[in-house]
Amino acid sequence: MLLTGSILSCGGWVLSRGPDDAGVLNMLFEFERQQCLEIYTTLIAAGLELSPTAHLSFTELCQCTRSHFEDCSCEIVSVDLEVHSLVVETRKVDRNAPETA
């Protein structure tokens, strides 16, 4: 999975991952706080559309870490991520059928 590899390449580690009965992927991962910007960027680059709350939480974490880098850079951050997939419906088009307006 691209997301798991991306997290690992940023120095994070995946504790668990797998789908639930509804098809939602649950992933629990951790990383050193000094890597928060890289992890945030990785999630976006992997194509995840984060909720406004998730964006705000990561922004606050990155800003706070930058402001207090010496005090907290080696702390461990734990993220419990839920990935919901979008179902895209496709319609079979009969090219020989007459157009209707």
Side-chain angles (χ1 to χ4, degrees):
M1 175 179 225
L2 172 70
L3 183 57
T4 300
S6 299
I7 290 169
L8 295 174
S9 71
C10 290
W13 52 97
V14 177
L15 303 175
S16 66
R17 70 174 184 166
D20 65 10
D21 293 336
V24 174
L25 174 69
N26 293 297
M27 179 182 289
L28 178 62
F29 65 95
E30 294 180 339
F31 56 92
E32 285 188 6
R33 193 166 166 175
Q34 63 189 348
Q35 299 302 114
C36 63
L37 184 59
E38 288 79 6
I39 293 289
Y40 186 25
T41 304
T42 293
L43 295 177
I44 302 302
L48 294 182
E49 292 185 28
L50 300 178
S51 68
T53 303
H55 278 294
L56 183 60
S57 295
F58 263 108
T59 301
E60 289 175 350
L61 179 67
C62 292
Q63 290 295 326
C64 184
T65 301
R66 189 174 75 180
S67 298
H68 303 285
F69 190 78
E70 296 297 322
D71 300 329
C72 64
S73 64
C74 292
E75 290 178 359
I76 303 299
V77 176
S78 183
V79 175
D80 190 4
L81 181 68
E82 283 188 358
V83 179
H84 300 259
S85 61
L86 296 176
V87 177
V88 178
E89 291 186 29
T90 58
R91 187 177 63 152
K92 185 175 180 180
V93 176
D94 183 359
R95 300 208 185 272
N96 297 323
E99 281 187 39
T100 57

